[in-house]
């Protein structure tokens, strides 16, 4: 094959090929898995208590408080015209009472927990459900993370890793990460809430197009976003050169800075805020707003007193997700930060991995623990924000409230479209422009324009076609396969409250909250050795990437389904039970049709994210299993910015085409599948 | 004749005071019991224990010779041959009116002409024949109520449970629905347990009125023989 293969080879020399050696060096294999499992459980013990405590509070406030009353002497009453109840029950009922009292005495809290589990049949879930979900979560979340924690511990024991954590490089990476993620969150909150309030509450025109365009940045992979913005600004920008606006050659690229990274993180994650907030606002009742208007509140008063409190949980939750995503983003700081010498924690892990040493796994395990801690804090904020909100809609009524803007409407519309032009259209145009120029720094005009970059990646380089095929396979397998885990898990989490459910929810969330790079390392550690019983190693095959995707996108796939289950009136299932339908029957006839829209949304979201994924596959790929994200990154890294741009343009076209195809299908899809549709 | 027997029924969520404490009742077949009490008194919990959605912490529920549930084990709701009208009606939004009503039959393996005949009868009893192909979302509150009732009717359940079914309806509809309930009761011959906080409603419909307060059963009497409200120390709105 050709040039790109050389590029590929040069990269592989640096990274994963050295993995087995390094692992042997760190002595990870000597530890027994059960020991590590237990230590991980202990690590999360505190987190669980935190949630346990929160749950306890809610349960207490729900129970009506009154004094204990004397039992009436006459225990059994009979209705008129009916004989007394059979006496034998009186003798029977003494024994269970005594037994349960004994239980409570000897048991204490831990047994009380188990006791509740025994009573589960009244919840109606089949006996296999909990073991199935627990098993899946242990395999996808606990096992790799425990393996990583083990590597971290052994790195700590070696002592080399301890030095690293006090290195100035680590501290500055930590600072950079926090600064960029916070800045990115601020940008996301501003952009996302502006669009969400405008689309959900006002009478502006073209909401569908606005939502569609606004969701695009989330679907476009971060490295493509970064590439596009770099092509848009700076001295070599073909767009600026063509327009005659380019700064002189040699002047610095303004995006190669902390604020540049923060800005792009903000643009990338604004749709997360938009989605979270819009979901909250969609549930706000028109009646409530109209009642407030009638009560004499002006539009601003209504906004402050009704809309904002309803939207606040979504706003806080969206902000927290944007922050955590910013912490974990690899594509943007990799493209913008590395040329400027700015390291964030994810890029630090990447570069440590590239320069393999004996303590590498210990080092990156420690750095990733740091990231995990920050992410956990963000997630707790998000959980807290959402804990108070329980909109259980009866059926699917969703009347949207509208503020009539009058003459301000056109102003708001102009503002929104101008913002979209700036953050979306201009960078993409620049990307297209740079894919059409024959060489770096050449201005684009009719004479210089050429399609050679496209011809190169489509016809001369088999590697990009392989990447396309791999990405499509991985994305569809992950998106559909995950539903078999997430639908049962969502059902379980809705029906079962308490410590165990919280633990499962946290364990599902952790792999997604962790940056992909940490997860990738965890999977290298877990699957480098041959599988027990089979004797085949997953490492180096496409299956290890698929396994990592399963783990990473479990939470993405779960969320829409879980929220659909949560919003469902529990009486709908109870009615089916009384109608005589067993678990599978009511799943098929009642529950699945009702969550189908959400399941569809989950498949689409996972597919779009997985198809564009870079971070996990950047560490796990090897010859023949490269993904689209890796192909773009490698092309850009090797200086072929025209080829990288061309492939990026194709990826963006693919994303737009997929979203548009869904749009045309929308009327055949159940309502609520497409996040950008109302 | 099979009786529904609640024997020292207790439900404790572990919050200090039990939600239902030591409730014992025997209901003959064809009884229409109104379970009366202020909100939070545990009457809905009793109903949900009868249906099988909650398991008692102590005591037991039997139907005739059959033990339905006690603290150790419980027959799942799908095997109890009961039906319930939920406060929210719990109509499945993705099915038509006829599909909603006929679902219990479908689960029992009834299909084809028999299915259509039984569903048609149930719908005509609640006067909704011409709405068979509509979706629940297109119906008014009273119509949804009647669909829920028809769904109870269609399988001839042993016990029919009604959880404040009139709470969301206006005065006129309530009167009409009370009539429908009475006709329904006469026709089905099922034991009916009707949870309400409205004393007048209880008096109008029931053959027996049980008054609950703070989880305990205060009194059981036929309507008119006592003024449970005054004795219990609360007044129904």
């Amino acid at each position: 094959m050709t040039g790109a293969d050389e590029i590929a080879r040069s990269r592989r020399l640096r990274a994963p090929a050295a993995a087995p050696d390094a692992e042997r060096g760190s002595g990870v294999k000597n530890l027994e898995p059960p020991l590590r499992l237990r230590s991980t459980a202990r690590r999360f013990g505190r987190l669980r208590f935190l949630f346990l405590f929160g749950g306890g509070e809610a349960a207490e406030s729900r129970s009506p408080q009154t004094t204990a009353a004397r039992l009436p002497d006459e225990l059994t009453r009979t209705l008129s015209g009916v004989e007394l109840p059979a006496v034998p029950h009186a003798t029977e009922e003494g024994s269970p009472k005594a037994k349960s009292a004994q239980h409570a005495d000897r048991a204490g809290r831990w047994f009380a927990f188990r006791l509740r589990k025994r009573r589960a049949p009244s919840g109606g879930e089949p006996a296999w459900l909990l073991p199935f979900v627990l098993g899946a979560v242990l395999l996808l979340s606990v096992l790799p993370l425990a393996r990583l924690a083990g590597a971290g511990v052994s790195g700590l024991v070696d002592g080399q890793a301890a030095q690293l954590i006090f290195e100035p490089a680590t501290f500055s990476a930590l600072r950079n990460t926090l600064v960029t993620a916070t800045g990115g969150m601020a940008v996301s909150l501003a952009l996302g809430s502006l669009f969400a309030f405008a689309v959900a509450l006002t009478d502006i025109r073209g909401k569908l197009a606005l939502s569609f365009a606004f969701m695009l940045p989330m679907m476009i992979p971060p490295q493509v976003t970064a590439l596009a913005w770099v092509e848009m600004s700076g001295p070599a920008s073909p767009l600026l050169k063509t327009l005659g606006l380019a700064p002189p050659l040699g002047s610095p690229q303004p995006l190669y800075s902390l604020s540049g990274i923060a800005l792009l993180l903000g643009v990338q994650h604004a749709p997360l805020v938009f989605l979270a907030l819009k979901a909250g606002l969609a549930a706000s009742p028109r009646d409530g707003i109209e009642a407030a208007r009638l009560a004499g509140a002006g539009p601003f008063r209504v906004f402050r007193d009704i809309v904002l409190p309803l939207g606040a949980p979504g706003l806080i939750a969206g902000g927290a997700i944007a922050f955590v995503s910013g912490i974990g983003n690899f594509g943007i700081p990799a493209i913008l930060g590395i040329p400027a010498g700015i390291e964030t924690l994810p890029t630090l892990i990447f570069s440590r991995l590239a320069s393999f040493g004996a303590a590498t796994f210990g080092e990156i395990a420690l750095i990733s623990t740091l990231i995990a801690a920050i992410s956990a804090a963000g997630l707790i904020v998000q959980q807290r924000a959402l804990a108070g909100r329980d909109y259980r809609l009866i059926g699917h009524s969703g009347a949207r409230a509208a503020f009539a803007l009058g003459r301000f409407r056109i102003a708001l519309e102009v503002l929104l479209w101008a913002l979209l032009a700036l953050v979306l259209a201009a960078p993409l145009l620049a990307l297209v422009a740079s894919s059409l120029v024959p060489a770096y720094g050449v201005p684009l005009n009719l004479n210089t324009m050429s399609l050679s970059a496209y011809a190169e990646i489509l016809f001369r380089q088999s590697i990009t076609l392989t990447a396309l095929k791999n990405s499509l396979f991985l994305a569809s397998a992950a998106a559909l396969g995950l539903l078999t885990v997430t639908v049962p898990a969502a059902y379980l989490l809705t029906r079962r409250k308490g410590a165990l459910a919280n633990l499962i929810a946290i364990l599902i969330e952790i792999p997604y909250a962790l940056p992909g790079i940490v997860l990738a390392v965890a999977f290298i550690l877990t699957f480098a050795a041959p599988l027990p019983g089979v004797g085949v190693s997953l490492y180096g095959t496409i299956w290890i990437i698929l396994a990592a995707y399963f783990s990473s996108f479990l939470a993405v796939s779960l969320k829409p389904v879980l929220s659909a289950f949560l919003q469902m009136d529990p009486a709908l299932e109870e009615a089916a039970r009384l109608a005589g339908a067993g678990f599978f029957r009511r799943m098929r006839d009642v529950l699945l049709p009702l969550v189908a829209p959400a399941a569809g949304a989950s498949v689409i979201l996972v597919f779009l994210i997985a198809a564009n994924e870079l971070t996990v596959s950047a560490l796990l790929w090897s010859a023949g299993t490269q993904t689209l994200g890796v192909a773009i990154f490698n092309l850009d890294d090797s200086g072929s910015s025209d080829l990288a741009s061309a492939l990026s343009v194709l990826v963006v076209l693919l994303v737009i085409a997929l979203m548009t195809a869904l749009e045309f299908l929308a009327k055949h899809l159940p309502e609520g599948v497409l996040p950008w549709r109302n | 004749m099979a009786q529904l027997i609640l024997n020292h029924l207790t439900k404790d969520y572990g919050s200090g005071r039990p939600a239902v404490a030591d409730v014992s009742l025997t209901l003959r077949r064809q009884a229409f019991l109104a379970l009366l009490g202020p909100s939070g008194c545990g009457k809905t919990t009793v109903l949900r224990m009868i249906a099988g959605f909650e398991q008692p912490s102590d005591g037991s529920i039997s139907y005739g010779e059959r033990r339905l549930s006690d603290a150790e084990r419980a027959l799942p709701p799908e095997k109890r041959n009961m039906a319930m009208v939920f406060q929210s009606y719990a109509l499945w939004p993705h099915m038509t009116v006829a599909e909603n009503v006929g679902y219990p039959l479908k689960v029992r393996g009834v299909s084809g002409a028999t299915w259509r005949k039984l569903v048609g009868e149930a719908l005509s009893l609640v006067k909704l024949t011409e709405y068979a192909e509509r979706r629940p979302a297109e119906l008014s509150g009273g119509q949804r109520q009647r669909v829920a009732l028809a769904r109870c009717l269609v399988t001839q359940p042993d016990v029919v449970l009604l959880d404040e079914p009139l709470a969301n309806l206006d005065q006129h509809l309530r009167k009409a629905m009370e009539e429908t309930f009475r006709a329904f009761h006469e026709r089905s011959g099922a034991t009916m347990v009707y949870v309400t906080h409205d004393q007048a409603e209880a008096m109008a419909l029931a053959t027996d009125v049980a008054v609950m307060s703070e989880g305990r059963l205060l009194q059981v009497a036929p309507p008119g023989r006592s003024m449970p409200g005054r004795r219990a120390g609360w007044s129904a709105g």
Side-chain angles (χ1 to χ4, degrees):
Chain A
M1 288 175 281
T2 49
D5 268 351
E6 277 181 31
I7 300 155
R9 218 175 311 130
S10 74
R11 288 195 69 76
R12 288 230 338 290
L13 277 179
R14 303 220 304 263
D21 278 335
E23 200 199 347
R24 231 172 285 135
S26 65
V28 184
K29 282 178 192 160
N30 299 336
L31 279 169
E32 285 170 27
L35 210 71
R36 278 199 305 282
L37 273 172
R38 248 180 282 136
S39 78
T40 318
R42 235 175 277 135
R43 260 180 50 205
F44 291 119
R46 205 166 292 167
L47 207 64
R48 186 176 56 184
F49 274 123
L50 211 75
F51 279 83
L52 198 70
F53 183 65
E57 264 176 349
E60 252 169 300
S61 65
R62 204 175 33 202
S63 72
Q65 75 291 30
T66 7
T67 52
R70 291 272 115 225
L71 298 176
D73 286 346
E74 198 184 336
L75 286 171
T76 308
R77 294 157 198 271
T78 315
L79 295 177
S80 62
V82 187
E83 58 274 52
L84 281 158
V87 187
H89 291 306
T91 51
E92 274 181 24
E93 61 94 29
S95 53
K97 196 184 264 175
K99 214 191 293 170
S100 64
Q102 251 177 21
H103 261 292
D105 274 353
R106 138 166 70 86
R109 258 173 309 172
W110 289 109
F111 279 84
F113 174 65
R114 202 171 286 170
L115 234 145
R116 194 150 31 131
K117 211 159 83 180
R118 192 172 53 82
R119 291 239 174 89
S122 58
E125 58 186 56
W128 55 266
L129 187 65
L130 181 68
F132 173 75
V133 172
L134 262 182
V137 169
L138 286 179
L139 200 65
L140 292 178
S141 169
V142 177
L143 178 67
L145 296 180
R147 189 83 196 181
L148 184 68
V153 168
S154 71
L156 206 60
V157 172
D158 288 354
Q160 280 161 309
Q163 299 169 352
L164 162 105
I165 219 76
F166 297 107
E167 262 178 33
T170 319
F171 272 121
S172 85
L174 174 63
R175 200 197 60 226
N176 291 342
T177 305
L178 288 175
V179 166
T180 52
T182 310
M185 179 183 71
V187 174
S188 292
L189 279 174
L191 275 176
S193 57
L194 174 68
F195 274 80
F197 281 129
V199 167
L201 295 176
T202 71
D203 58 347
I204 54 165
R205 289 159 293 187
K207 286 180 184 180
L208 184 60
L210 269 176
S211 299
F212 186 90
F214 193 71
M215 290 301 297
L216 261 177
M218 192 173 85
M219 306 305 179
I220 295 173
Q223 71 276 14
V224 171
T225 307
L227 209 61
W229 282 71
V230 169
E231 299 298 342
M232 178 177 75
S233 57
S237 160
L239 193 69
L240 295 185
K241 272 192 178 310
T242 309
L243 296 173
L245 293 173
L249 279 176
S251 53
Q253 161 63 267
L255 289 175
Y256 290 164
S257 64
L258 282 177
S259 43
I261 296 173
L263 174 68
L264 260 66
L265 288 177
V267 171
Q268 184 83 31
H269 299 135
L272 295 172
V273 177
F274 176 76
L275 281 183
L277 188 55
K278 208 176 80 157
L281 292 175
S284 68
R286 182 190 284 265
D287 295 354
I289 288 174
E290 285 173 351
R293 297 293 288 272
L294 281 177
F300 287 102
R301 193 69 201 263
V302 170
F303 184 79
R304 201 189 68 193
D305 293 348
I306 311 284
V307 176
L308 222 48
L310 274 169
L315 201 61
I316 296 171
I321 300 169
F323 178 77
V324 171
S325 307
I327 296 279
N329 195 298
F330 169 73
I332 288 171
I335 288 190
L336 297 184
I338 289 174
I342 300 170
E343 291 270 26
T344 63
L345 290 176
T347 59
L348 186 66
I349 291 179
F350 187 73
S351 49
R352 294 284 149 142
L353 263 178
S355 58
F356 250 64
T360 299
F361 280 106
E363 282 175 17
I364 60 166
L366 283 176
I367 301 173
S368 60
T369 312
L370 204 60
I371 303 177
I374 303 169
S375 305
L379 286 171
I380 287 170
V381 169
Q382 184 223 357
Q383 292 273 342
R384 284 275 146 139
L386 292 178
R389 94 177 183 187
D390 182 16
Y391 318 116
R392 292 198 172 185
L393 300 176
I394 297 162
H396 284 297
S397 65
R400 195 71 33 92
F403 285 94
L405 290 179
R407 62 205 157 85
F408 293 109
R409 185 169 75 170
I410 186 76
L412 183 61
E413 285 168 359
V414 168
L415 173 70
L416 296 181
W417 283 110
L419 274 173
L420 277 178
L422 187 69
V423 304
L424 185 68
L428 289 182
L429 272 179
L431 196 65
V432 174
S434 72
S435 74
L436 295 176
V437 297
Y440 181 81
V442 177
L444 180 70
N445 56 44
L446 283 178
N447 295 327
T448 58
M449 189 189 289
S450 106
L451 287 174
S452 63
Y454 290 93
E456 181 74 21
I457 58 166
L458 280 182
F459 303 114
R460 258 160 267 158
Q461 306 241 351
S462 68
I463 205 161
T464 47
L465 286 177
T466 312
L468 184 70
K469 203 186 73 202
N470 285 339
S471 278
L472 293 186
F473 164 73
L474 286 168
S476 39
L480 294 172
L482 272 174
L483 277 187
T484 60
V485 178
T486 51
V487 170
Y491 178 83
L492 187 80
L493 291 178
T494 316
R495 294 295 177 263
R496 183 187 280 268
K497 304 290 172 206
L500 191 65
N502 283 331
L503 182 67
I504 292 177
I506 292 167
L507 288 177
I508 288 177
E509 198 68 52
I510 286 174
Y512 181 60
L514 286 179
I517 205 148
V518 177
L519 200 72
V521 172
F523 270 83
I524 292 177
L525 286 171
T526 312
F527 290 111
L531 292 177
V534 192
V536 181
S537 174
L538 285 188
Y539 186 69
T541 69
I542 201 164
W543 305 108
I544 192 172
I545 305 182
L546 186 62
Y549 280 6
F550 260 74
S551 175
S552 183
F553 302 133
L554 192 57
V556 180
S557 173
L558 176 73
K559 249 172 208 151
V561 184
L562 181 60
S563 65
F565 271 117
L566 281 174
Q567 288 198 355
M568 194 190 299
D569 181 1
L572 292 176
E573 192 198 357
E574 290 170 353
R577 299 193 71 191
L578 276 181
F583 178 75
F584 286 105
R585 189 76 201 244
R586 59 181 188 267
M587 254 302 170
R588 197 190 72 196
D589 291 346
V590 174
L591 297 176
L592 287 183
L594 290 176
V595 299
S602 139
V603 167
I604 296 162
L605 283 177
V606 172
F607 185 90
L608 279 177
I609 298 172
N612 295 321
E613 198 279 336
L614 162 67
T615 319
V616 170
S617 45
L619 288 195
L620 295 181
W621 74 285
S622 60
T625 70
Q626 58 276 71
T627 61
L628 277 179
V630 170
I632 291 172
F633 192 76
N634 285 352
L635 288 170
D636 181 60
D637 198 54
S638 64
S640 320
S641 72
D642 54 337
L643 296 187
S645 299
L647 191 52
S648 298
V649 169
L650 291 182
V651 164
V652 172
L653 287 179
L654 176 80
V655 168
I656 295 175
L658 271 174
M659 286 172 74
T660 314
L662 285 168
E663 193 55 47
F664 278 114
L665 282 173
K667 60 174 171 290
H668 304 294
L669 291 171
E671 208 172 308
V673 170
L674 308 180
W676 58 89
R677 266 190 163 247
N678 294 331
Chain B
M1 280 270 123
Q3 297 174 327
L4 182 67
I5 300 162
L6 314 185
N7 185 34
H8 298 295
L9 200 58
T10 299
K11 179 72 189 181
D12 194 340
Y13 290 105
S15 58
R17 196 188 68 97
V20 173
D22 213 16
V23 168
S24 295
L25 267 176
T26 301
L27 286 141
R28 70 188 150 84
R29 188 159 162 79
Q30 294 202 314
F32 192 138
L33 175 78
L35 206 50
L36 191 62
S39 53
C41 75
K43 54 192 191 311
T44 297
T45 309
V46 170
L47 202 71
R48 291 176 62 80
M49 281 194 279
I50 298 175
F53 299 133
E54 306 277 350
Q55 192 170 359
S57 352
D58 202 355
S60 64
I61 303 170
S62 310
Y63 185 75
E65 295 299 298
R66 204 156 59 130
R67 176 66 66 96
L68 295 182
S69 53
D70 53 31
E72 297 301 314
R73 64 219 143 76
L75 192 68
E78 49 267 37
K79 301 214 171 101
R80 294 192 174 203
N81 195 27
M82 293 183 178
M84 184 161 172
V85 175
F86 292 83
Q87 196 171 356
S88 62
Y89 313 144
L91 301 180
W92 301 299
H94 60 294
M95 299 184 191
T96 64
V97 166
E99 283 167 347
N100 263 287
V101 170
Y103 185 67
L105 291 174
K106 199 173 133 197
V107 171
R108 285 164 174 77
V110 179
S111 59
T114 325
W115 186 88
R116 277 192 296 277
K117 182 175 148 280
L118 289 172
V119 171
E121 277 174 14
L123 282 176
S124 75
L125 198 89
V126 295
K127 303 186 179 67
L128 281 175
T129 311
E130 63 272 35
Y131 294 92
E133 295 312 312
R134 303 257 186 114
R135 302 255 167 190
E138 303 164 43
L139 303 182
S140 71
Q143 289 165 338
R144 288 181 204 183
Q145 166 74 272
R146 301 204 310 262
V147 176
L149 202 57
R151 188 172 62 187
C152 286
L153 196 76
V154 79
T155 49
Q156 298 183 325
D158 299 325
V159 180
V160 174
L161 307 164
L162 302 117
D163 187 6
E164 306 236 8
L166 301 185
N168 302 325
L169 299 183
D170 66 41
Q171 202 57 45
H172 281 297
L173 269 172
R174 282 176 179 229
K175 281 283 166 249
M177 286 312 298
E178 281 177 12
E179 280 312 311
T180 317
F181 282 147
R182 204 170 288 129
F184 172 72
H185 179 223
E186 273 158 23
R187 185 200 132 111
S188 68
T191 306
M192 293 179 74
V193 182
Y194 184 110
V195 160
T196 181
H197 62 267
D198 186 330
Q199 203 172 326
E201 214 172 277
M203 295 298 173
L205 284 167
T207 61
D208 307 276
V209 178
V211 181
M212 282 188 72
S213 173
E214 295 178 2
R216 286 168 302 124
L217 189 62
L218 294 185
Q219 184 181 23
V220 184
R225 228 172 57 185
S226 69
M227 291 304 285
R230 266 177 227 158
R231 284 226 213 134
W234 59 272
S235 67

